[in-house]
Structure formats: structure tokens, C-alpha cells
Amino acid sequence: MSDDVYESLISKLVSLEIPPGSRLTVDTLARNFGVSQTPVRAALIRLQTEGLIVGKHNAGFSVAPIPSEKHFSETYQIRQLLEPEAAAMAAENARADDVRQLRSLCSQMEQLVLDDTKKNYGRFAMLDDAFHSALVTLSENELMKHLLETLHAHMHLFRLRYHASVAEEAINEHKAIVDAIQNRDAEVARLAMAAHILSSRNRMMPFYHDVTKKDASVSQNDLVP
């Protein structure tokens, strides 16, 4: 039950149906989802650990603001340093089952793009996060994995911009990375990941100012899904 609530909230947050700054109350969410407060609270705590909502003692929860432009730039700098190396290491470590898992994630993302519904926004972001997380796991470098997980990069990026063309380009870039990993070509995997991160930055950053202007105009509203 909490997974269903979590996925529904992710979709609303990523699509900005629930805008930054909106106040979230457990009681209101429980009534709207038709569930008890327990799965709602579990979903909110999970979202808080992922940086999408913030909680204050005795003040409930609210949607996190869009991170600053400086934060996004620094996030991409860190990703550009670490993820290409993770992809190269994954090419050396991956087994056939690992490649199948990566291709399955790509296929699931493709299907979401074909369906092209607003509720798929959050699901796509989750799968994108799962794809990159799987690659870093295959690097077998625990410190690198921990550092990248703390960025919460993928969920925040899709709050900046989600569009079918953006998603299609990302999927094609993912496939190029998986091809290199399947071929156990570490250098090509490294270059493919570096190109993907650079392309992602170029796709997302032009939309930064539009979203942050909307962010600044939102008052602390109660959530009414």
C-alpha cells in the first residue's frame, strides 16, 4: 500500500502537479487516497530521505524547493567525474543477467514513453534512477555508490523538464551504454556515459529558470490532489 502511495506522489511531484512549497498533511493525503495514515506516513518518510519533501518537527511536511542552479551545476560536475568511471567498471564486472536487467529497464522506460501519460512521469524518473543505480552497483565501488545516491539527481532533474523527446533521447543513450557493457568495452562505456551526462545537462538546464520562477511564486498551500 505504501508503495502505491509513494509512486502516486512521485508522479505528482515530478510533473509539478503538486508544486514546490505545497504543504502535505498525512490526514488529507490518507483521505484522498482512501487509505490509513500508516502507508501515507511511510511514503512521506521515504520521499523525505530522497530529498523530494522536507519535514520539520511538529510542522508536518512540505514539497522541497527546486534546488538552486549552482546545486544542479555541481551535481553534473560530480556525475561527470564519477559515473563514466562507474560505467567502465560495470563493463568489466557485468554478467549476462546484469545486462538483461539493464535492457529490461530500458524497455520499461520505452513503454512509458509510448503510453505518454502524465502519470508516467514519476515512474520514468524512478526507472531512470534505477538504471543509473544498477550501473553504479555493478562498479562494486561502495563509496562511489554512496556519494551518487546522496545527490538524488534523477528525481529533481525530471522536475525541471519531462517530455517524450527528452525521454527518448535518454533511452537511446542508455542503450549505447548497455551495448558497451555487453561488449565488455570499458572505454566505450566510459565515453557513452560521459556523453549521456553532458547531453542530459544540455537538455535540462535551459528549463531551469522557467521552473524556478514558478517555484518562487507558489505559496504554502494545503495539498488537494
Side-chain angles (χ1 to χ4, degrees):
M1 187 73 72
S2 64
D3 286 343
D4 292 339
V5 174
Y6 170 81
E7 287 200 24
S8 180
L9 284 173
I10 283 282
S11 292
K12 293 176 184 294
L13 293 169
V14 169
S15 67
L16 300 183
E17 183 178 339
I18 307 176
S22 298
R23 189 160 67 89
L24 306 173
T25 65
V26 174
D27 183 59
T28 300
L29 286 168
R31 288 199 307 270
N32 282 303
F33 284 119
V35 299
S36 70
Q37 293 189 7
T38 300
V40 171
R41 195 175 299 279
L44 291 174
I45 291 172
R46 185 175 173 187
L47 289 166
Q48 185 178 9
T49 64
E50 293 173 353
L52 283 173
I53 67 172
V54 293
K56 294 183 179 179
H57 184 61
N58 294 328
F61 300 92
S62 62
V63 181
I66 300 291
S68 69
E69 187 171 5
K70 183 174 184 292
H71 175 89
F72 272 119
S73 294
E74 291 175 350
T75 295
Y76 272 111
Q77 288 172 350
I78 293 172
R79 293 184 66 196
Q80 193 72 57
L81 288 169
L82 297 182
E83 289 197 59
E85 190 61 30
M89 295 163 72
E92 296 171 349
N93 299 331
R95 298 169 298 182
D97 285 348
D98 299 320
V99 173
R100 280 193 287 271
Q101 178 196 8
L102 293 171
R103 292 207 183 278
S104 174
L105 289 168
C106 289
S107 296
Q108 292 176 63
M109 284 187 272
E110 279 187 306
Q111 188 57 54
L112 291 176
V113 173
L114 289 173
D115 293 342
D116 193 25
T117 60
K118 195 172 183 179
K119 68 181 180 181
N120 287 344
Y121 291 7
R123 183 64 180 160
F124 190 97
M126 291 170 65
L127 289 171
D128 185 70
D129 180 65
F131 179 87
H132 284 265
S133 179
L135 280 177
V136 177
T137 298
L138 288 172
S139 76
E140 299 181 4
N141 185 313
E142 291 300 319
L143 181 56
M144 186 185 295
K145 181 180 178 182
H146 173 72
L147 289 171
L148 288 168
E149 284 178 346
T150 61
L151 298 179
H152 309 303
H154 305 277
M155 298 300 186
H156 284 306
L157 284 178
F158 284 102
R159 295 169 79 198
L160 275 182
R161 171 70 166 164
Y162 180 96
H163 189 274
S165 63
V166 170
E168 288 169 1
E169 290 170 7
I171 291 168
N172 289 333
E173 292 157 10
H174 288 172
K175 287 180 177 178
I177 296 166
V178 178
D179 287 343
I181 290 172
Q182 183 172 15
N183 293 333
R184 306 190 73 81
D185 192 324
E187 184 58 24
V188 172
R190 181 185 287 111
L191 293 172
M193 179 61 83
H196 171 51
I197 294 170
L198 179 60
S199 295
S200 174
R201 184 188 187 284
N202 291 340
R203 281 192 294 267
M204 294 298 190
M205 293 306 287
F207 300 97
Y208 178 85
H209 294 292
D210 290 340
V211 173
T212 50
K213 285 177 184 176
K214 294 177 183 177
D215 187 359
S217 68
V218 175
S219 61
Q220 298 292 316
N221 298 315
D222 287 335
L223 170 65
V224 184

